[in-house]
Amino acid sequence: MYSKQKRVAAIHDISCVGRCSLTVVLPIISAAGIDTSVLPTAVLSTHTGGFENFTYRDLTDDISPIAAHWQSLDLEFDALYSGFLGSYDQIDLVAKLFDTFQSEKTLILVDPVMADHGQLYSIYTPEMAKGMTKLCAKADIIVPNLTEAAFLLDEPYIGEDYDQNYIEDLLVRLSQLGSKKVVITGISFDPQQLGAVTYDAVARTFDYAFNERVADYFHGTGDIFGSTLLAGLLNDFNLKKSTQIAVDYTRECILRTVELGQEKRFGVCFERAIPYLIKRLGLS
Ligand code: PXL
């Protein structure tokens, strides 16, 4: 059956080593059959979680000229997907880029990448966390973890001590930032299970997507989750099903990593699980 290939613009950093941001977003969305354009926000020798003395080149000044050239080519995108931003000024520049390239068909997915386990990543400031709410307001879907949710709402991080009512209330309050759909990642109500909870503010529905927890924390799984969620949505799965595929694929990647005994800070062995993803997306 013929269908036009979709195109995404992925706006994230390049961490040269450590498998996160564009080094996982690009291969995962490409493997899902989607034309993936990239707009690098910064170039780092490694990501910031677990490495010292990494290099950092801020690409803020390149964003507007790249966007202007794209505009001159009349490029259209089915989705705009932002993640880790390299500076405070990038928030407004990316918001402007959203305005420029948004059309009826464009899905805007904002992953407010900035923190985990109650702490901001080393490059992020509390002002940036506040500014990120502006970008979330322009999104169709946002995908914070619990720490990012707390920073977005300017309230204390709850840690592990929450229940279903707390999460549903949090989802509703996050949707009030302006995004009609919200997915919170890294949720667990039972120590054996880990997953994500979604909220659709128009339908007023919550959905839960879990799988068996694999012990331990691995770096870069938020980017694996976000790209897989987008890959599912662009392959016409609904939010609930796309979230379940993203939970399951992320777990599959972690399992391969544990099997191979890979060091955690180098990210997960997502490459080995690509055949699983393609199957789940119905593309093989
Ligand atoms: O995976 C999130 C991420 C993206 N980019 C950079 C990071 C991190 C998390 O630490 O450091 C540079």
Side-chain angles (χ1 to χ4, degrees):
M1 193 178 66
Y2 171 80
S3 71
K4 189 178 153 291
Q5 194 178 16
K6 292 182 178 168
R7 181 190 286 133
V8 170
I11 307 161
H12 302 249
D13 71 284
I14 298 177
S15 288
C16 300
V17 165
R19 285 184 293 197
C20 68
S21 42
L22 281 182
T23 64
V24 309
V25 170
L26 173 60
I28 288 174
I29 301 178
S30 299
I34 292 147
D35 171 358
T36 312
S37 307
V38 298
L39 203 171
T41 56
V43 179
L44 298 85
S45 51
T46 66
H47 61 70
T48 65
F51 296 96
E52 281 174 7
N53 305 321
F54 50 83
T55 68
Y56 186 80
R57 181 170 302 275
D58 173 2
L59 297 179
T60 302
D61 291 345
D62 292 271
I63 292 182
S64 296
I66 290 174
H69 185 222
W70 286 359
Q71 212 180 350
S72 77
L73 299 173
D74 290 328
L75 288 181
E76 290 181 5
F77 297 99
D78 297 277
L80 305 169
Y81 170 28
S82 72
F84 183 99
L85 301 184
S87 70
Y88 184 80
D89 290 348
Q90 288 190 9
I91 296 170
D92 280 341
L93 293 169
V94 173
K96 194 163 161 234
L97 186 143
F98 285 170
D99 291 341
T100 304
F101 291 100
Q102 187 167 34
S103 74
E104 280 288 288
K105 66 167 189 183
T106 317
L107 180 72
I108 300 186
L109 176 68
V110 171
D111 186 348
V113 174
M114 55 190 171
D116 209 352
H117 304 295
Q119 302 240 320
L120 284 174
Y121 295 140
S122 62
I123 285 172
Y124 274 73
T125 59
E127 293 70 50
M128 228 167 144
K130 265 205 197 90
M132 199 61 105
T133 58
K134 279 200 256 172
L135 214 51
C136 290
K138 292 193 173 283
D140 297 299
I141 308 183
I142 58 171
V143 287
N145 59 33
L146 272 177
T147 308
E148 289 154 351
F151 276 106
L152 290 173
L153 295 172
D154 199 16
E155 62 187 41
Y157 167 60
I158 183 117
E160 309 277 306
D161 191 19
Y162 51 79
D163 60 14
Q164 209 166 319
N165 284 338
Y166 175 85
I167 296 299
E168 293 193 356
D169 177 60
L170 196 62
L171 282 159
V172 171
R173 289 187 295 119
L174 285 165
S175 74
Q176 288 163 355
L177 293 175
S179 169
K180 296 278 185 295
K181 291 177 181 167
V182 182
V183 182
I184 305 185
T185 58
I187 299 295
S188 177
F189 298 115
D190 159 353
Q192 313 296 331
Q193 300 269 311
L194 185 64
V197 187
T198 72
Y199 177 57
D200 179 328
V202 175
R204 299 195 181 201
T205 48
F206 299 95
D207 280 301
Y208 292 77
F210 289 102
N211 202 327
E212 275 168 52
R213 183 198 285 269
V214 185
D216 242 329
Y217 164 80
F218 287 86
H219 196 272
T221 51
D223 298 326
I224 304 261
F225 180 92
S227 353
T228 309
L229 176 73
L230 184 58
L233 294 167
L234 292 177
N235 277 290
D236 300 327
F237 291 96
N238 64 21
L239 181 64
K240 178 179 181 186
K241 185 76 193 180
S242 300
T243 303
Q244 188 66 58
I245 295 171
V247 166
D248 296 348
Y249 176 61
T250 305
R251 177 176 180 274
E252 201 66 26
C253 296
I254 295 173
L255 282 176
R256 306 297 158 100
T257 316
V258 172
E259 262 166 36
L260 291 171
Q262 171 87 60
E263 216 187 304
K264 287 175 207 139
R265 61 183 180 161
F266 287 98
V268 290
C269 306
F270 75 93
E271 306 87 347
R272 300 287 181 103
I274 290 259
Y276 170 90
L277 175 63
I278 289 175
K279 216 168 178 179
R280 285 296 300 276
L281 292 172
L283 298 172
S284 67

